[in-house]
Amino acid sequence: MKYALVLENSTNTCNETSRILASMGYLITPVFSPKKALHAAHMIQFDLIVTCTTTIPDDRRSLTGELARCSPDATLILLAECDAMPANDQLDGVNSVLYRPLTAEDIDSVVESTLKGFAAHLPPPRTDRERRRKSVD
C-alpha cells in the first residue's frame, strides 16, 4: 500500500488532488493546516507528500524540511500557482515544484524519476540555518 499526505488550503483543491492520487493507487491522508501535516507525518511513513505551502505559521522551521525529516524516503511535491515560484531558500526537502492544474501524468513523472534516481533533487536543507541546538549537559 502506498501512502500520500495532501496539504491543501481548500476542500475543493484537496478533493481534486486526492482524487488524482487515489486513481494512482495511493491511500490519502488529507489535511488543511501545516501543523496537522506535521502531526500526520510523525504518525505515518508517507511515500508521497503534496503540499501547497513551505512554511508553518508562527514557526521558524521549514514545513517541507520537517516533513522530509519525518518521511525521508517520500517524494515531496510543492504545488504552486502558475504565476508564483517560491524562492530557493523556501524549498528545503522539496523534490519537485508542480503547477496547477495538476494532472496524474505530472505526479507520475516526478515519482518515477525520483524512484529511478533521475529527479532534479533540490539541495538538502542547510545546516547553518538550523535553529535547534543540542542541549549542553
Side-chain angles (χ1 to χ4, degrees), residues 76-97:
L76 205 148
I77 298 172
L78 175 64
L79 290 179
E81 298 300 326
C82 60
D83 59 347
M85 176 61 182
N88 281 341
D89 64 342
Q90 296 178 336
L91 298 177
D92 289 342
V94 174
N95 293 96
S96 184
V97 178

Side-chain angles (χ1 to χ4, degrees), residues 58-72:
D58 302 322
D59 198 333
R60 296 187 301 183
R61 297 179 295 168
S62 161
L63 172 64
T64 52
E66 291 299 313
L67 291 172
R69 284 184 187 100
C70 292
S71 295

